[in-house]
Amino acid sequence: MTGTQIPLILDVDTGIDDSLALLYLLASPEAEITAITCTAGNVPARQVALNNLAWLELCGVNGIEVALGAEVPVIQPLMTTEETHGPQGIGHAVLPTPNQQISERHATEVWIDVVRSRPGEVMGLVTGPLTNLALALKICPELPHLLNRLVIMGGAVNYPGNTTPTTEWNIAVDPDAAKIVFDAFSVLPADRLPIVCALDVTERIEMRPEHIAALADVAGSSPSERIDPTDALGTRSQASNAVVRHLSDAVRFYMEFHREQDQGFLAHMHDPFAAAIALDPELATMRLATVDVELAGTLTRGQTVADWRGMWGRDSNAAIVVDTDPAEFFRRVIDRVGRFAREVG
Ligand code: BDR
Ligand code: CA
């Protein structure tokens, strides 16, 4: 570690796009991943942990603690979405069985330990439901002050949901946890408020087959990596580079899913975008607002409601990303993950 590195705690429900977020961070020299905490969401929490260990194994990375967290949301029953992310959460990819074990510590313990050991330094990045963080806040209410900053992928603000008409997946899985987090972080000054990457912007982060092809070229993988919309469903990559091959198999599934949803043969890369923002908030234009989570609505439970104009008379509790440059984001993904894939094989 050097003084220029950014220590991160990564809380995930891996997940195809969580997988690319992890690869992006592993590929970024300025990122120091202090721990990966796993929550139930896209797939059950234990599978999430195994997926993370498997990506680390594939990339030859040792020594990052992977801790199992909440296996169910704080109040409501768990829902998972294998139809979006594949039977194991990584699309068509079949990752190696990891040698490294899941940590013996619970994710909440890891969260608290990491932030207490380096007060004011650590970036929290949550790309799954906010369950683990909500549980950690119950034990350690001073956590918002101990973090350097929190970046959340979640919510749909002035935008339709992807799980219900009003509600985004990560918030829909555990709206009660989301409410706990937004309330708890409302004590911070404006420049330390959580950065919220909601669907409004993350659905503009459209990964297409040509992005995977370009990344594979940077990795020096052969033959040329082509995810063709006319291929049979579930066609597997023949790429020589193992990271490219598994990533391509994962992302192909996500593209097939988006096409089924009438969104085109592309994949919204919500979580890698949030990872890029955690390393470089300058990539985003943000606006402060007060965010609250609808818990009582019979149709709208989990909706993230933003008060942009102070109508509630409450201080802002979030910096919401309102704009970005998707092309610049993809340039970074292709360059960083491509080079990293080349290095690790
Ligand atoms: C979010 O939901 C999950 O399915 C993705 O991994 C992402 O974190 C997008 O709504
Ligand atoms: Ca996710």
Side-chain angles (χ1 to χ4, degrees):
M1 190 198 91
T2 72
T4 55
Q5 278 196 305
I6 301 167
L8 289 138
I9 179 163
L10 181 56
D11 198 299
V12 291
D13 65 335
T14 316
I16 296 170
D17 56 334
D18 306 76
S19 297
L20 183 57
L22 174 61
L23 291 176
Y24 185 84
L25 294 173
L26 291 172
S28 297
E30 72 272 38
E32 178 207 346
I33 303 176
T34 62
I36 302 174
T37 48
C38 304
T39 188
N42 290 323
V43 289
R46 191 164 291 275
Q47 185 63 50
V48 170
L50 293 174
N51 291 346
N52 285 296
L53 288 172
W55 280 115
L56 294 175
E57 179 92 17
L58 182 77
C59 297
V61 177
N62 295 308
I64 296 181
E65 181 173 11
V66 175
L68 188 57
E71 299 197 65
V72 289
V74 294
I75 296 179
Q76 71 182 32
L78 175 65
M79 56 176 174
T80 57
T81 184
E82 284 79 1
E83 67 279 16
T84 312
H85 291 269
Q88 297 181 319
I90 42 173
H92 298 300
V94 180
L95 289 168
T97 310
N99 286 319
Q100 194 187 310
Q101 303 295 308
I102 298 173
S103 170
E104 284 173 8
R105 303 200 295 170
H106 191 274
T108 51
E109 190 187 339
V110 174
W111 261 99
I112 294 168
D113 188 45
V114 165
V115 298
R116 280 197 178 143
S117 64
R118 299 169 75 170
E121 283 183 40
V122 178
M123 230 28 211
L125 171 62
V126 183
T127 65
L130 288 152
T131 320
N132 288 337
L133 180 52
L135 294 175
L137 282 162
K138 292 278 176 207
I139 303 167
C140 178
E142 70 277 22
L143 193 151
H145 298 285
L146 295 172
L147 262 187
N148 179 315
R149 202 138 189 204
L150 175 66
V151 177
I152 296 171
M153 190 286 127
V157 183
N158 294 338
Y159 201 81
N162 61 0
T163 305
T164 74
T166 57
T167 303
E168 182 276 332
W169 172 259
N170 288 337
I171 310 294
V173 172
D174 199 344
D176 302 282
K179 163 94 177 145
I180 292 169
V181 171
F182 280 111
D183 286 354
F185 278 77
S186 58
V187 295
L188 295 176
D191 61 348
R192 306 239 345 256
L193 290 175
I195 299 175
V196 176
C197 306
L199 293 183
D200 311 47
V201 166
T202 64
E203 287 210 352
R204 288 177 48 208
I205 310 298
E206 300 180 336
M207 182 171 247
R208 296 174 184 276
E210 49 269 34
H211 293 122
I212 291 288
L215 188 155
D217 285 349
V218 174
S221 188
S222 62
S224 294
E225 186 61 13
R226 299 282 170 254
I227 301 181
D228 190 324
T230 64
D231 290 342
L233 282 184
T235 299
R236 300 287 295 280
S237 169
Q238 301 300 317
S240 60
N241 181 286
V243 173
V244 169
R245 192 165 65 247
H246 290 91
L247 177 64
S248 179
D249 283 345
V251 171
R252 177 189 286 273
F253 187 100
Y254 217 21
M255 289 179 177
E256 291 169 352
F257 168 78
H258 282 76
R259 177 173 58 191
E260 234 173 76
Q261 303 292 307
D262 292 329
Q263 290 171 311
F265 197 68
L266 52 83
H268 293 140
M269 283 299 166
H270 314 275
D271 297 345
F273 175 71
I277 296 303
L279 295 186
D280 180 14
E282 296 289 310
L283 189 57
T285 308
M286 299 173 222
R287 247 184 91 192
L288 299 185
T290 310
V291 174
D292 210 335
V293 182
E294 178 58 80
L295 295 181
T298 53
L299 297 174
T300 55
R301 183 166 154 84
Q303 181 174 11
T304 40
V305 181
D307 178 7
W308 298 100
R309 293 166 59 191
M311 292 171 170
W312 292 332
R314 287 157 52 188
D315 287 342
S316 300
N317 62 358
I320 299 175
V321 177
V322 292
D323 200 10
T324 191
D325 178 356
E328 172 56 21
F329 164 76
F330 279 113
R331 271 193 289 280
R332 294 184 192 186
V333 170
I334 290 164
D335 182 54
R336 291 179 181 214
V337 181
R339 282 168 193 248
F340 176 70
R342 179 192 279 267
E343 268 166 42
V344 301

